Amino acid sequence: MYDLIIIGAGTAGLSAAVYGVRAGKRVLLLEEQVYGGQILSAVEVENYPGIRRISGYEFAENLYRQATELGAEMRYEKAVKIREEGGEKTVITNRSGYACRAVILATGAKKRRLGLEREEELTGAGISYCATCDGAFYRGKDTAVTGGGNTALEDALFLSGYCRKVYLIHRRDQFRGEERLVRALKEKENVVTVMESRIIRLNGKAHLESVTVEHSRTEREEELLVAGLFIAVGQEPDNRAFSDAVRLDASGYVEAGEDCRTSRAGIFTAGDCRTKEVRQLATAAADGAVAALAACAYMEQSSWQ
Ligand code: NAP
């Protein structure tokens, strides 16, 4: 029997684990893939208060060590359901089931797909969702990035150091990412911005060879010869497994306010998987602390009753 089970070992989940174990609780972290979450693909983090500069990998590694050295247990299993009987919760995984008093959903979000024909087939054969993981394969080649947020801007900047040319394709006439990144990109001679344009076709035999874009104003089509396409069009949550345990919004995010309480007593949520305005590393860590302390307060209260 655990006090607290945290589903997802990204920044939010690991931060919650740090607060949970420091409050004296027996904490289990369940992770389907690798610990660290999305920050693993950040080359450099320079907006986490108190840390001037750190790689995403090092940040994740430090946080994982901090949580586990303090006493959090970790299992690599996929949580598929939360069952509740008489106030006791059981998290069912693909391998087993674990009883606990409170749960924190920190499932994060996954990279959104463009939804184009051949996108799945060419993933790993020219299409990637992680510039820092795959960028080096495209050294000296022409590539494209699509998206207009911080991820797309950072990916284009990162790739400009490896690639001969980087097309940055965005559907609107303005980026939504930070001005600082937009300015840095303007200084890169090998980055070409293709605004108000969408990719409508992915071309190539076994490997991506080009993308066809449609310019929205003129409806003109243009073929850009690229060996790689990095898709950075945001994220989507995947909380379907928990839709009968807690209320989700229309996009699938767990409904919760800044107190990280869900529609179900004893189930809390933290990080990118919950409804919120700002999805940043600092807010994921903050959510972890808030959710863990709320879970501790819930356990205290329920032990009096
Ligand atoms: P995002 O901010 O949601 O931006 C997604 C971009 O993709 C938007 O520009 C959007 O266009 C575009 N898009 C969405 N669906 C599309 C489609 N089907 N076809 C073409 N374009 C599409 O996502 P993100 O850049 O991954 O960032 C996610 C969160 O992480 C944000 O809160 C961001 O600030 C944060 N983040 C922060 C940092 C940092 O602080 N250094 C780094 C990375 C990410 P529209 O603009 O037209 O909507």
Side-chain angles (χ1 to χ4, degrees):
M1 174 89 174
Y2 289 92
D3 292 315
L4 179 60
I5 294 183
I6 300 166
I7 303 175
T11 299
L14 289 167
S15 302
V18 167
Y19 275 77
V21 285
R22 278 177 54 85
K25 305 299 178 199
R26 186 166 180 221
V27 175
L28 173 66
L29 276 156
L30 291 171
E31 170 56 55
E32 183 187 350
Q33 294 173 339
V34 290
Y35 63 78
Q38 292 195 54
I39 201 60
L40 282 177
S41 56
V43 191
E44 242 176 18
V45 177
E46 53 177 36
N47 59 1
Y48 191 85
I51 299 178
R52 286 168 62 216
R53 192 165 293 136
I54 190 168
S55 75
Y57 174 80
E58 197 184 348
F59 180 89
E61 189 64 24
N62 284 346
L63 187 50
Y64 169 75
R65 284 205 191 172
Q66 189 178 9
T68 51
E69 284 170 13
L70 283 167
E73 292 173 44
M74 176 92 191
R75 285 180 192 267
Y76 292 94
E77 295 177 29
K78 181 178 166 62
V80 294
K81 202 175 179 56
I82 302 171
R83 239 193 248 143
E84 190 158 9
E85 255 171 15
E88 186 179 298
K89 293 167 179 60
T90 305
V91 178
I92 311 293
T93 72
N94 53 340
R95 297 218 190 113
S96 189
Y98 303 96
C100 63
R101 297 164 67 200
V103 176
I104 297 178
L105 293 171
T107 52
K110 295 193 166 63
K111 304 275 183 182
R112 182 179 287 130
R113 290 347 191 202
L114 282 175
L116 289 174
E117 229 176 278
R118 304 197 64 204
E119 189 172 348
E120 294 303 324
E121 174 200 336
L122 292 171
T123 296
I127 292 185
S128 168
Y129 297 84
C130 178
T132 52
C133 317
D134 301 327
F137 297 126
Y138 297 90
R139 196 181 288 277
K141 297 187 175 160
D142 291 351
T143 57
V145 174
T146 185
N150 277 341
T151 306
L153 300 179
E154 286 184 352
D155 284 0
L157 270 175
F158 176 72
L159 291 168
S160 70
Y162 286 100
C163 302
R164 191 171 61 175
K165 190 191 273 184
V166 181
Y167 295 101
L168 176 54
I169 304 161
H170 181 38
R171 64 185 179 185
R172 284 192 300 127
D173 63 349
Q174 277 190 347
F175 292 112
R176 73 166 58 224
E178 289 170 20
E179 191 49 39
R180 174 185 66 87
L181 296 171
V182 176
R183 275 203 304 272
L185 273 175
K186 280 188 184 143
E187 284 168 19
K188 299 286 177 190
E189 283 179 1
N190 60 343
V191 175
V192 178
T193 51
V194 184
M195 305 301 280
E196 296 180 89
S197 303
R198 288 171 184 273
I199 299 175
I200 54 167
R201 263 191 311 280
L202 305 167
N203 315 305
K205 292 188 184 116
H207 198 280
L208 185 77
E209 291 164 25
S210 71
V211 297
T212 305
V213 296
E214 184 187 74
H215 303 286
S216 353
R217 277 173 190 260
T218 56
E219 292 184 4
R220 185 173 62 86
E221 289 185 13
E222 184 183 1
E223 189 177 354
L224 304 175
L225 299 176
V226 290
L229 169 65
F230 291 85
I231 299 174
V233 295
Q235 316 163 349
E236 303 178 304
D238 186 5
N239 295 308
R240 281 168 297 177
F242 312 112
S243 62
D244 53 356
V246 294
R247 208 160 44 228
L248 306 180
D249 78 356
S251 308
Y253 290 98
V254 180
E255 279 190 8
E258 293 302 311
D259 61 4
C260 296
R261 287 169 199 273
T262 69
S263 55
R264 178 72 65 99
I267 305 183
F268 303 84
T269 182
D272 284 2
C273 68
R274 85 163 169 93
T275 48
K276 54 164 41 192
E277 285 292 317
V278 181
R279 293 193 170 85
Q280 293 278 314
L281 193 59
T283 60
D287 269 15
V290 172
L293 295 177
C296 291
Y298 166 82
M299 286 182 250
E300 291 292 310
Q301 268 171 10
S302 45
S303 61
W304 295 338
Q305 287 160 2

